[in-house]
Amino acid sequence: MSRQMTGAKMVVQALKDQGVEVVFGYPGGAVLPIYDEIFQQNDIRHILVRHEQGAVHMAEGYARSTGKPGVVLVTSGPGATNAVTGLTDALMDSIPLVVLTGQVPTFMIGTDGFQEADTVGITRPCTKHNWLAKDTDKLAETLHQAFHVATHGRPGPVLIDIPKDVQFATGTYQGPKQAKVSHYQPKVKGDIEGITDLAAMIERAERPVLYTGGGVINSGPAASQLLRELADATGFPVTSTLMGLGAYPASGKNWIGMLGMHGLYEANLAMHGCDLLINLGARFDDRITGRIADFSPKSKKAHVDIDPSSINKVIHVDLPIVGDVGHVLEDLLKVWKARGRKTNKEALAKWWGQIEQWKLKNCLSYKGSDKTIKPQYALERLEALTKDRDRYVTTEVGQHQMWAAQFLGFEAPNRWMTSGGLGTMGYGLPASIGVQIAHPDSLVINVAGEASWLMNMQEMGTAVQFRAPVKQFILNNERLGMVRQWQQLLHGERYSHSWSESLPDFAKLAEAFGCKGAKVDSPKDLDDAIMAMLDYDGPYILDVLVEKHENCFPMIPSGKPHNEMLLGDASTEGAIQAGGAVLV
């Protein structure tokens, strides 16, 4: 039903009609009419952030842990430009967001008015689509289209720039069912001939690998369940990108671990040596492929992706299938079962024998210490003490992020929130708040490095104000750990500006924010410190002082193929090739 209302009221009404429960934002002059409407209603909760970048990361955490689009409201000029990093992060990791920005009145656009910026121009490269809403009568339809575009096809962030006079003006409101969205209806069903060809390839494969990505999780819970059914029914090994962790359970019998630059030895060698690579919702990121010319050189490659532009963009594949992973997996299982559920069992048994040999390398082993907390040990203990809880994990970016991916196990999708494609330091703290707002009774832990954590530390104020009991687990090595590691291994140990100095006392910082914190530096005290963090009913910062120069292994050096990995001292140090030869 059409109704007359102001543009500001349309915004709030559209959010309600789209089922939005939470908005993350920061007010300013160009969005005050919308904030006035928010004040006059009680259906939508507003979370006041401390920085607009934090708002977008909170919305990302909310979206990734719920499957719903995250919503952000910020003002014009610096409010909008501060959101750009979060928008780019969401675009790279396919996170559905609707970002609403204020703008100067339409008659002032282009005059360099106070807090004016070309928001549409600035954000065009880092959004899936954006709009400048100049007509109040078309505003409601634009809002509904934005939600449709953000959540259909490959998910991503969209932005609507709303001039202040459009917010004040009166126009005709249209509901979601009246909005025209027929122009954007991405293909979700895969080509049945291609799916049948893939079923035939599954039947013949001798050394197959299921290579899974964030697209499986974005497709919804059914897709993860279908992936598990396919893997268990065929007996094929499953590996995953950083973004795909949890789509297949870490305790599953076919799980061979994460692959890529800091992936497991067995996963990377399986990828290198397979004869059938089935890519499900991943984009052949450079952190996965290594040297493209030597990536999985002897395999037939199938790629299932809802985004046609992702297929053959990086790696040429033999069998492209455009469609939603969930729909394609459903049809693939039907076709494969109808053909007799056949696999090459004898060859598959030999393949698993080879994989089990690679596992004996024990690539995550490390030299323990009874004096210094090793970061790997810290995450092992965190996993042991929290794995049976209703747990969500976010991370910052760096060594700690990779160790978290290696040592924490995820049994279900939507439990792991990290910045993959953009690698955004400062992501984890605000993301953890977004997750906690969505799941107020769950345990939410942000695994952080001290340098990343400081980038958006102001959001602890948001956590305290809104009583979000997020746990900040800081692995403090007083270094920019990943930068220092690369400088040691690849830049002749020239440590150019990679040591953190003038660090705060994180426990006192927690107190200053009005929450609680503690410091731990001894392995024997670590369990008690973690339990104190978990038992505290509120936001908590645990400063874990760890070994300063520990390196994160395995590691594929930049530009090297999968079968050349650096391993740590406790396994086999040096660059490893298939067959176990050590490169000197």
Side-chain angles (χ1 to χ4, degrees), residues 358-371:
W358 287 330
K359 285 184 179 181
L360 294 177
K361 188 67 68 174
N362 195 16
C363 67
L364 294 183
S365 59
Y366 60 93
K367 291 181 178 179
S369 171
D370 58 0
K371 295 180 180 178

Side-chain angles (χ1 to χ4, degrees), residues 28-30 75-79 102-104 112-117:
T75 196
S76 62
Q103 184 54 275
V104 299
D112 294 332
F114 177 67
Q115 290 194 331
E116 180 187 0

